[in-house]
Amino acid sequence: VREESQPSLNLIKEQLQQADLAHFDESGVRVDGKLQWLHSSSTETLTYYGIHEKRGREAMDAIGILPEFEGRAVHDHYKSYNTYDCEHAFCNAHHLRELQFITDQYQQEWASQMATLLRDIKREVDNAPASSSSLPIGRLSHFGKLYDTTLEQGFLANPPPDNPPPKSRGRLKQSPPKNLLDRLQKHKAEVLAFMYDFNVPFDNNLAERDIRMIKVKQNVSGSFRTHDGADTFCDIRSYISTARKQATNVFSALFNAIKGQPFLPDTIDSSSE
């Protein structure tokens, strides 16, 4: 089925490259006894998986979707994604988990306030009129100012060291609260993209759901014995997941692929909504 489904896989990659918005994620897997990385690219109607020995840009370039992608990429804060010249949106589910950790471990009030703010914005976005494409300008300004004020409180609670060690090399090690504050400040537009454009989701749950099936497979079987077996599984799983997302009977799609008439994605996908 892997060879017979190649026309479909080629179209999936092409349509993901042209999508207005797509989700990206990666997760470690065991292949031939070694740690490898499963990379996923997906929308509501398309899924593509690839396995590579590296996690970062080398792997993403080899898979070939992000280098051609010009839409908005939704992902976690892994730095390799930000090296691509496209628009970005960060997963706020990750931020909520980090903010909860800081609240629990460091008892810093700003983290709890930021988590509440993100949830409040999401609630307002969810309750906005169906005809809206963004929050009203006044609400955008209001939430943007609250965001900045909360960060200011966080930086006051996490000042930089007064006297860095002499002859120190590289960046000074920072606390988790300071690292998160720096990211939230630098990438404010990517964190709050969902309130400016309702086509942008609050989180990256779609990608996490798509990766979950591969993780379930590994939990059952333990690992992939060979690289070829891992690649074959990714290709077939990409084909099946896309067929299912496009309301195509999976058994029919597999049977037709064996006959040399594989299921083909219908149209170029332009959003993840």
Side-chain angles (χ1 to χ4, degrees):
V1 175
R2 179 188 184 187
E3 183 176 346
E4 290 82 1
S5 64
Q6 282 304 312
S8 178
L9 296 173
N10 292 339
L11 274 177
I12 292 170
K13 287 186 68 172
E14 179 182 322
Q15 292 184 20
L16 282 167
Q17 290 167 348
Q18 298 176 23
D20 290 341
L21 186 146
H23 297 248
F24 299 89
D25 201 1
E26 79 291 331
S27 182
V29 296
R30 303 294 297 183
V31 180
D32 191 24
K34 299 178 182 178
L35 176 64
Q36 305 279 294
W37 292 92
L38 170 76
H39 295 258
S40 75
S41 309
S42 55
T43 68
E44 290 286 357
T45 60
L46 301 164
T47 307
Y48 190 86
Y49 299 108
I51 284 184
H52 196 277
E53 63 181 353
K54 297 293 181 64
R55 183 186 182 190
R57 173 129 192 178
E58 180 180 337
M60 297 170 186
D61 285 346
I63 290 168
I65 293 174
L66 273 166
E68 305 296 327
F69 183 71
E70 296 181 353
R72 186 186 291 274
V74 183
H75 51 80
D76 59 22
H77 52 82
Y78 185 48
K79 291 182 179 179
S80 293
Y81 291 117
N82 293 325
T83 63
Y84 289 96
D85 188 20
C86 62
E87 292 185 293
H88 299 269
F90 282 8
C91 174
N92 283 302
H94 278 77
H95 293 143
L96 290 177
R97 289 193 287 268
E98 290 180 88
L99 290 166
Q100 187 62 54
F101 171 79
I102 292 169
T103 299
D104 294 341
Q105 298 296 318
Y106 294 87
Q107 290 78 50
Q108 295 191 2
E109 183 63 23
W110 74 268
S112 176
Q113 293 174 352
M114 180 62 78
T116 298
L117 175 60
L118 290 175
R119 292 191 179 99
D120 287 346
I121 300 173
K122 182 181 185 300
R123 186 179 303 110
E124 192 153 325
V125 169
D126 291 342
N127 293 329
S131 59
S132 303
S133 60
S134 170
L135 289 182
I137 293 177
R139 299 304 288 167
L140 293 174
S141 176
H142 169 72
F143 284 130
K145 290 177 181 177
L146 284 178
Y147 186 92
D148 292 339
T149 299
T150 305
L151 288 181
E152 289 174 6
Q153 295 175 4
F155 283 115
L156 288 174
N158 298 273
D162 294 329
N163 298 305
K167 298 182 180 180
S168 59
R169 295 183 179 180
R171 293 181 58 186
L172 293 175
K173 185 176 181 179
Q174 298 189 135
S175 66
K178 183 61 164 55
N179 286 332
L180 180 57
L181 283 162
D182 287 345
R183 188 194 323 140
L184 292 175
Q185 182 182 62
K186 179 179 180 180
H187 296 286
K188 176 181 178 181
E190 290 81 6
V191 175
L192 298 180
F194 71 100
M195 77 174 185
Y196 289 94
D197 181 358
F198 288 174
N199 288 320
V200 179
F202 177 78
D203 52 41
N204 198 27
N205 281 348
L206 187 147
E208 293 179 358
R209 290 198 308 268
D210 285 335
I211 276 202
R212 191 174 300 133
M213 290 305 301
I214 307 291
K215 300 299 288 185
V216 168
K217 188 271 178 192
Q218 180 167 275
N219 288 337
V220 172
S221 64
S223 66
F224 294 100
R225 293 186 179 182
T226 67
H227 289 274
D228 186 63
D231 290 337
T232 298
F233 181 86
C234 284
D235 285 350
I236 295 176
R237 186 68 209 176
S238 300
Y239 179 76
I240 290 174
S241 178
T242 300
R244 179 177 287 121
K245 286 181 176 182
Q246 299 203 7
T248 296
N249 182 277
V250 170
F251 292 104
S252 296
L254 291 170
F255 181 70
N256 289 334
I258 294 172
K259 292 197 305 179
Q261 300 174 340
F263 151 81
L264 299 176
D266 288 334
T267 58
I268 292 176
D269 189 86
S270 60
S271 87
S272 72
E273 293 299 305

